[in-house]
Amino acid sequence: MEDKVETGPALPSKRRFHANDPLIVAAQAKKPKLDKPQKNSKKKEEKTVKHNVESDERPKEGRITNARSYQMKILAKALQENTIAYLETGCGKTLIAILLIKEMASSMREKNQKFRAVFMAPTVCLVLQQTSVLRINLDLQVECYYGAKGVDKWSASMWKEEMNSNEVLVMTPMVLLDAVRHGFLSLSSFHLLIFDECHRAQKKHPYAKIMREYYHNPKTMPVKPRIFGMTASPVTSKGVTSKEDSATQMLQLEKLLDAKVSTVEDDQEVKNYVPTPNQKIRWFSPPPHSFHGVLQQLECVMGKYEGMYESAVVNSDGFKDVEELNKKLCRKLKKLHGCVLYSLEELGLLCAYESALCLLKKLETDVDYGEGEDERVQSSKETFLRDAVEVLAASLEARAMEIDSLADVLEAVNKGLLSPKVSLLVKCLLEYKNTENLRCIVFVERVVTAMVLARILSKLDCLSFVKCSFLSGTTAALDVMGKKQQQSTLAEFHRGKLNVLVATDVAEEGLDVQKCSSVIRFDLSKTVRSFIQSRGRARMPESDYILFLETDNQKQLGQLLGLQQSEESMKDQALNRTHFSVFSGKIQTEDMEVFQVETTGATVSIDSSISLISRFCANLPGDRFYRPAPEFVDGKTEGDDANHVCKLILPPNGPFRELIGPPRRSRTLAKQSVCLEACKRLHALGQLTDHLIPVIDVEKPEEEEVMNLSGKNVAGAGTNKRKELHGTVPTEALCGDWLKFSVDVSLYAYVISFDFCQKEEDPYLDFVLLLKAAIDDDIANTEFPIYLSNGRKAIVKFFDAGVYPLSADQLEDAKAYHQLIFNGMFGKLIKRLNKKEGQSLMKNVLAFDRTKATKNEFWDSSQMYLVLPLLPGKLADDSEEIPINWKAVRDAAATSRLFPHLCSIQQQNTNLTLERKSVHKNVGLHMASGLRPAFELIDMAVVTIHTGRMYTVVEILDQMNANCKMEGAEDSTYTSYSHYFEEKYNRKLEYPEQPLLRVKQSHRIHNLLTVDVAVAKKKNGKAEKAKKSILVELPAELCLCTGLPSALIRSLYLFPSVFHRFNALILAAQLRSTIAKDMPRCGSIDGTVVMQALTTLRCLEGFSFEGLELLGDSFLKYAVSRYLYLVYERKHEGQLSNRRSRLICNKTLHHLAIARHLPGYIRDEPFQPEYWKASGMLSAKSVKCKCNLENLTFLGDTCNKGDEETGSVFRIGKTCSKGHRWMCSKTVSDAVEALIGAFISCGDCGPALGFMKWIGMDIDFDLSLYEAARNRKVHLKVLNAVNVAGIESQLGYVFLNKALLVEALTHASKEDPHDAHDALGGGCYQRLEFLGDAVLDFLITRHLFSTHPGLSPGVLSDLRSAAVNNECFARSAVKHNLQRYLRHGSGELLFQITNFVKAVEGANEEGQEEVFGWEGARGPKVLGDLVESIAGAILVDSGFDLDRVWSVMVRILSPLVTPSTLPLHPIRELHELSQSKGLSFVWKKTPPSAGKESTVTGQIEIGNEVISETAKGGLKKTARKNAAQKILSALKRRGIFHPRKEAADQNDASPAKAIQICEKRAFDGDVIGSEEKKRRISSEGETSSGDAVMLDVSVLQGISLADRTNKDNIAPLQNSNASAGEMETSINLKMSPTASRSEDEASACCMDSSCIAKPSVNSVINRASFAENTAQNVEANDLFRAQLMVLGEPMELSINVIGKGSGRSKLNELCLKKKWPLPKYTCVEQWDMHVEKFIFTVEVDGPHGLVTATSEPMPRKNLAKDQAALQLLVALSQLNESS
């Protein structure tokens, strides 16, 4: 018996496989790469040295050398107490930190304790730099952490793993602060805290917050770590002049860090290692020009824009986003204006012009510049800069001159083009003209100065030796330099490609900058820190530090003296502590309120509460028109001692609306206090986790492809990368041991008959299948097609024949028959063991000890059945006994018993010399069992006693005997047949003179379940040659007659494929029964649909679960969305979406399926005939099981490239002898969705929900929640402001609760009145949108699934993507003017909606067709959300009545996409067209284009012609789309189309092509192709198919508009205390029941996925003329509804008459369903007077003959086709009524 799947515990990640496992193949070992000389080894060494510690000596491999004496002194202090190392840049502070880590780690190792340290650096660049140095010089595990690595989203387990695996953690201080605040890390768990650039520990810096909130808090720090700080200047404030000021700031830093400043006592010791630059002062004169005229013009330009924006703010209609946008524009332009003015006043007219021009070019050409800004912001900046450039250019024109030499520079100063300060800079640089290895940094204050000076210096010919660029921060105000550009500039400065950098203070600290020979302070430092650090960059021997000072500027001179005095004061205080007693006592920490979670230790203080509330609001759902943010309203308490009170207002989708905080003495404290109270409340409501993280942050859905930290895909549960070993569930109906005993038995009989779709030359027999267990009725009476050779086809039919009793003798005969027939045909009756002394030892498989029959190997306990032949031409009636051919069975049984005896006799007598006798044919032929009349052998089966093979006799060869020469023998090895058998088989013939038998060989089993094999054979065209090759000649005396006719043998070749399919059906019914035991409502599903849901595409059987998976996926999404919406009333849309993603993700479905052993039922491999084994048959070929059963339902990670340990590859689609097989993990998840789709295809949601509950997805809820969801509240003012009657009239639905409608129309940006009791205004539509998105997805998928049953899953998926599309929804909203009722507070949204409405209306006026998917103007997402929220509101208001929702929404969304209107994306269409036509298409490499547009070139080859097209676009994908469109247009001009479009465009001439693109579902569906079907069809219609029936459609009865849908038909829910699962089918949630079918239609669609009935539509048929009514409908643009009877089947119509594709879609649907040729359309007349009109005819060849209809004159071709199709449908209905 095959093993059953069982779920076991998770196994370790290390996997071991048995040797020679047939399901595992060894991957080819990769060839080792030859060792090549490393060309860049020197560069790598230089790169390593570059990251070494700041020291003069650069040792090899970047490792540290002996420390200097002053470093060892500071290290000794740091080992004793907390220390701040005060050393200038380049003195080796990092080396001291490394030595300190080593010493402390060594001490901890001696105590057998793990050492941990945190190394903090203020910038990411410093973090990366210091990490590289630490990894080179430490033998500890070092890892770095910063925001870009996503550490903000890490969980406690991830931080715990990092703590366990690393010893030194390098990070920015903000990362540490956040981790400590959330309780992920604790400072007490570290032994050492290192603060790089520790002078930043002041005010609100994270350094200061870490120390104040945690280090100095005795509650959180029972054990304090060692502190080590590093700085080049412990004093940072401006204006420090006295020693007392220095002492004050230094003491503040010491007390905050709880450390003492330590520095070098002897400066000479440092100077020996770090050269001190020569400080020089250069003087420049003030600017000689004032530029009053230019300044006035620039002020006028700015005033013009300010006035424009102020006017826009006044006219903003109260839209806050418009006000904010215009204020933002004003701020941006003022910033640009200030930059231009500063450049003009400080640098000169030419520099001002260059500054404006540089910024303008940056906007126009740099793609990354201003990427996050609004388009209007960028446009306004460009316009302003163009105006500024024009003003400056006009002034510059009068003073234009060429500047090449120093003299020209001086003249330019006199003209005001350059300032004296710029001229001084040029002079200074000229002094270094002959300097080798020049490295110079020019420090400036502003970014614009750096940018302009670099441009000017690069243009001067006198500075040709200067290679200059600028360097600024990546977060600077102008944002002109990105991170990549910054790193590139620094790298070029290191390599010498640049020798002059004009830099802001970003180059003072935090970046690894090359040592310089000169540093120029173009703008004087403002702080002593900046002064010292910029000077520290000049570290080359004899380097210069040049300061620029303005002549007679006492302020600048005093500033320089103050900086120098401050530096001396710091050194004096660090060494002598002369003013140490100024501050005494402990540090005064803030008295902060703190909220702490006891379980995790996570805290939020009054200082961090505002940021946490802001983060929470930022995580609420929003869009580009509304960014959720908290609002604060300040107030004061009454009385003399008035305190400040703050009211917090959360966004409308928050868990509560407002909160008033406690009174505080200041406005800031009041704001912080209310945020702290809000944090407490959010935590109590479950909106903040115990780690004080917004819930949405920790409920991210499990990704389909999990990403690890290195960015590589990891195979997880539910992914295709993961492969799992699963077993196979045994078929219980076939299991047992009853065949092992010889007793009377009663069995269930099932007749198998074959109905061929074409006339067969040879006869076939029917069978009866005998089982011990009964089979479900639908399986016992099923039918399906099989595909034979040469394109032939047969229908296999099963029907229940009742109970059949077998006596013990009959059972024995049947068993013997089984053993002979199946081993003889599909196996071996004689097995060759080995060769011994030139002779083959043979074993007869039928020779066994009868006394041990119950223990023999023939009868497998999992294959207990008998299949016996029936008498030809007789089928059992209810009153007759099953006509089993017992004579054939007994003859075969006798042969089976005689065969071993004859084989043994022949082998014993092979060495005897026999007398040769001649025998006449009339006497009979001597067979192995005796004399037999020759005529009895024709068309009978014989078995040879020398080989044990079975043949059928074709003819008696009277003219040939064994002495004749062998036919077809080209060599002379054998002289005759007798010689051949004597030499080959050691058989001497006793009757060589008797005629030979011409027999047909038996052949291998074929897979008859797939049409591909049959088609391949048909194309082969070698049928005759193959037929001759299977005929051989045999002596009669070596043959044993079985008594079985050849028709039986011929039919038995069909049985393996038939039984394989039947076994799959039984197994599907078995799963259905298993489910129905717990969920009785799941038992009504058809077993064939369950089988389809368990069949993958790999089975190659013409159907798969992909279509059902699509349907199941949509219903699963809807069912879970409904549950979450009702149960979690307080959760916003983002949280609901994340919860839904987690519940329906593949990982969840996979685990649920494993728990229910579903993988054992999945069919994931094609029928493999060579491994098939019948009851009573020894397996001819099998895959021996060597599987490691520990791998069953393996929960570890694997890779599709094989096992990393063994280098193995898994064989998917191959099963071992015990039923084990490897399977993709995603296949299991997909099967769950397909089963849901199968149960929903029953036409009712109840079975699908029952299955979901059975599998473990418990989404039941109290039905009282339905009523609670409908009881929404709305503020009366808001309700009165909404035109409820107008929107209800537009929708055709009247809401019972108007609050739901108001909520569905309200965007989050709308501010409505509210009160403290949460009586909200309009609320926000996001929750309803969440629900509506799911319900529309399901309803549209259900509609497409039922409307287009013949389409492949791929096309169906494309249809769904195009229909469930935000763009389509947005167009539908505009089409029905729903945007007029949208309530929002965004001017930007109003602007976009207005533009989109104009674009749609313009397209309609031009007569463009409806577009779907990517085509057309893109609409705001809000409009699509509006349609979804309205659908959600109707669903809730109607009591979750799906049919009611669809009846309303189908009119809104009409016309829905059809296969003929389905667009393909140009890139996809081009690739698919190239593949289908065998064309070569490539994207050519294109050089980068200037500007923000991307340029791409596509090239395709057609024979000798090459089509190449180039296109541009704002994005690369846009450019590719444009290029693909151009190439497609060129191909269409040459008559080359996509296959799908060819079928759609040419369906008039060749309807079959349109059918060829559709996957043939349900076993091809055309199972009524027999003569019986043809006779039934011909008898139903009186006219023949060749006659044409012309109808006068103008006299047919028309169809009127349906009455308005009743709006008051929603009854209150009953039995609200029942569970949703129990009451599901009793409420208005179910779909309409499946339409009944005839028996033939049911058989034709036994696996058709279109078993969902479309929702019925109430309709009325009037007696008005069709043409007149059509014209009225076109004018009214209303819905055309009718219900027709076509060929006895109701056909419901719901068609928008002027919508394109509607009538044609319905007619195509009918033709596909009835298996008729597709309709043919012909344009019979075209008017071209004042208005162009068309008249079309349509014809359909059906059972009534050729039916035609003609349209009225219509303005467009598609409308004429639609009307003709509608008239033809009415005509068919009339024919049906008359017949």
Side-chain angles (χ1 to χ4, degrees), residues 84-88 197-203 229-254 257 260-263 508-509 525-535 562-575 577 579 583:
I84 300 174
Y86 166 31
L87 296 173
E88 288 195 26
E197 309 292 353
C198 66
H199 53 265
R200 298 191 181 213
Q202 54 182 330
K203 298 181 180 178
M230 300 183 294
T231 181
S233 171
V235 176
T236 59
S237 300
K238 300 179 182 179
V240 178
T241 55
S242 65
K243 293 184 179 181
E244 188 172 313
D245 292 340
S246 297
T248 301
Q249 293 191 30
M250 193 176 299
L251 275 174
Q252 288 178 345
L253 179 64
E254 286 181 332
L257 294 182
K260 291 184 179 180
V261 176
S262 178
T263 188
E508 294 176 356
E509 66 175 6
S525 301
K526 292 185 176 181
T527 65
V528 65
R529 175 198 60 79
S530 175
F531 180 74
I532 296 173
Q533 288 186 331
S534 61
R535 184 183 62 195
L563 293 173
Q564 294 173 342
Q565 185 177 355
S566 297
E567 183 180 8
E568 295 176 359
S569 299
M570 283 193 304
K571 290 182 180 179
D572 182 59
Q573 289 300 316
L575 292 174
R577 292 294 195 273
H579 292 78
F583 289 97

Side-chain angles (χ1 to χ4, degrees), residues 1272-1473:
R1272 305 291 292 178
K1273 296 179 180 179
V1274 63
H1275 204 284
L1276 186 59
K1277 292 182 179 180
V1278 175
L1279 183 60
N1280 293 334
V1282 177
N1283 184 3
V1284 175
I1287 183 66
E1288 288 182 337
S1289 175
Q1290 197 73 27
L1291 295 174
Y1293 179 85
V1294 176
F1295 281 83
L1296 295 179
N1297 186 355
K1298 311 301 181 183
L1300 286 169
L1301 176 60
V1302 175
E1303 181 180 345
L1305 299 174
T1306 304
H1307 186 257
S1309 61
K1310 182 66 176 176
E1311 292 187 2
D1312 286 323
H1314 58 274
D1315 52 45
H1317 300 289
D1318 286 348
L1320 304 182
C1324 173
Y1325 66 48
Q1326 290 172 350
R1327 279 175 53 87
L1328 287 174
E1329 174 213 341
F1330 164 81
L1331 184 62
D1333 166 64
V1335 71
L1336 283 182
D1337 188 359
F1338 170 58
L1339 290 175
I1340 293 176
T1341 303
R1342 184 184 72 172
H1343 167 77
L1344 295 173
F1345 195 84
S1346 59
T1347 305
H1348 307 287
L1351 292 182
S1352 67
V1355 178
L1356 197 61
S1357 178
D1358 291 340
L1359 285 173
R1360 176 193 181 190
S1361 299
V1364 187
N1365 183 284
N1366 194 271
E1367 296 300 319
C1368 294
F1369 291 168
R1371 291 177 179 274
S1372 298
V1374 172
K1375 182 178 178 180
H1376 294 276
N1377 295 318
L1378 300 182
Q1379 80 280 356
R1380 299 178 181 176
Y1381 304 94
L1382 177 65
R1383 306 177 66 251
H1384 64 90
S1386 171
E1388 175 66 16
L1389 176 57
L1390 179 62
F1391 174 77
Q1392 291 205 10
I1393 290 177
T1394 304
N1395 290 342
F1396 179 67
V1397 171
K1398 291 179 180 179
V1400 172
E1401 291 176 349
N1404 292 337
E1405 292 176 358
E1406 295 175 2
Q1408 297 181 7
E1409 294 191 358
E1410 294 285 346
V1411 294
F1412 304 92
W1414 59 271
E1415 294 180 320
R1418 298 188 65 84
K1421 181 180 179 297
V1422 173
L1423 292 182
D1425 296 342
L1426 176 63
V1427 174
E1428 293 174 342
S1429 64
I1430 289 175
I1434 296 174
L1435 181 68
V1436 176
D1437 190 69
S1438 64
F1440 289 81
D1441 186 345
L1442 290 174
D1443 289 342
R1444 187 75 171 116
V1445 176
W1446 181 241
S1447 66
V1448 176
M1449 298 308 300
V1450 68
R1451 188 175 67 88
I1452 301 297
L1453 301 176
S1454 181
L1456 290 171
V1457 64
T1458 64
S1460 60
T1461 60
L1462 175 65
L1464 291 177
H1465 195 282
I1467 297 177
R1468 176 185 170 186
E1469 181 179 354
L1470 183 57
H1471 281 290
E1472 292 182 357
L1473 185 149

Side-chain angles (χ1 to χ4, degrees), residues 629-666:
E631 296 183 19
F632 299 94
V633 179
D634 297 323
K636 282 190 175 183
T637 59
E638 298 179 356
D640 298 335
D641 189 14
N643 289 327
H644 291 269
V645 176
C646 183
K647 180 169 70 173
L648 169 66
I649 302 176
L650 292 182
N653 50 7
F656 58 88
R657 195 70 173 97
E658 66 177 39
L659 182 66
I660 299 177
R664 290 291 184 266
R665 63 180 180 274
S666 68

Side-chain angles (χ1 to χ4, degrees), residues 81-241:
E81 61 182 358
N82 295 344
T83 303
I84 300 174
Y86 166 31
L87 296 173
E88 288 195 26
T89 303
C91 293
K93 297 185 289 293
T94 304
L95 173 57
I96 302 175
I98 291 173
L99 295 175
L100 178 61
I101 293 173
K102 283 190 170 186
E103 290 292 334
M104 295 186 67
S106 176
S107 176
M108 296 299 296
R109 285 197 190 104
E110 294 176 358
K111 301 177 182 178
N112 293 325
Q113 297 179 3
K114 186 173 182 178
F115 170 77
R116 291 190 183 92
V118 173
F119 195 119
M120 286 176 284
T123 64
V124 176
C125 292
L126 268 178
V127 167
L128 297 174
Q129 177 183 332
Q130 299 289 24
T131 302
S132 176
V133 174
L134 294 174
R135 283 175 176 168
I136 292 173
N137 296 285
L138 290 176
D139 58 350
L140 304 173
Q141 293 294 325
V142 181
E143 189 54 73
C144 61
Y145 309 91
Y146 46 89
K149 293 185 72 172
V151 295
D152 297 337
K153 304 291 180 65
W154 283 11
S155 62
S157 59
M158 297 178 71
W159 277 112
K160 184 178 180 181
E161 182 180 354
E162 293 297 318
M163 288 286 289
N164 293 334
S165 57
N166 298 295
E167 294 160 294
V168 180
L169 284 67
V170 188
M171 61 185 71
T172 57
M174 198 66 222
V175 171
L176 179 63
L177 180 61
D178 286 341
V180 174
R181 280 176 172 173
H182 294 309
F184 299 145
L185 298 178
S186 173
L187 292 185
S188 60
S189 61
F190 296 100
H191 303 94
L192 174 63
L193 299 182
I194 300 177
F195 295 79
D196 195 9
E197 309 292 353
C198 66
H199 53 265
R200 298 191 181 213
Q202 54 182 330
K203 298 181 180 178
K204 300 295 183 180
H205 193 273
Y207 278 163
K209 291 184 178 181
I210 290 172
M211 299 303 293
R212 288 195 185 102
E213 294 182 18
Y214 296 98
Y215 185 86
H216 293 289
N217 187 348
K219 296 181 180 180
T220 59
M221 289 296 296
V223 179
K224 295 184 178 181
R226 179 61 52 83
I227 302 292
F228 182 70
M230 300 183 294
T231 181
S233 171
V235 176
T236 59
S237 300
K238 300 179 182 179
V240 178
T241 55

Side-chain angles (χ1 to χ4, degrees), residues 154 172 191 246 259 337 385 397 407 501 913 1026 1108 1217 1296 1573 1581 1597 1604 1613-1614 1661 1779:
W154 283 11
T172 57
H191 303 94
S246 297
H337 179 252
L385 288 173
E397 187 176 357
L501 273 184
T913 302
L1108 291 173
S1217 58
L1296 295 179
K1573 174 188 173 184
Q1597 302 304 322
R1604 181 173 297 277
L1613 297 172
Q1614 303 292 331
I1661 299 180
S1779 60

Side-chain angles (χ1 to χ4, degrees), residues 28 174 298 336 464 533 679 705 1003 1209 1241 1256 1436 1490 1505 1583:
Q28 294 182 355
M174 198 66 222
L298 291 175
L336 294 176
S464 59
Q533 288 186 331
C679 292
E705 295 289 341
H1003 58 78
V1209 177
S1241 68
V1436 176
E1505 182 184 5
T1583 42

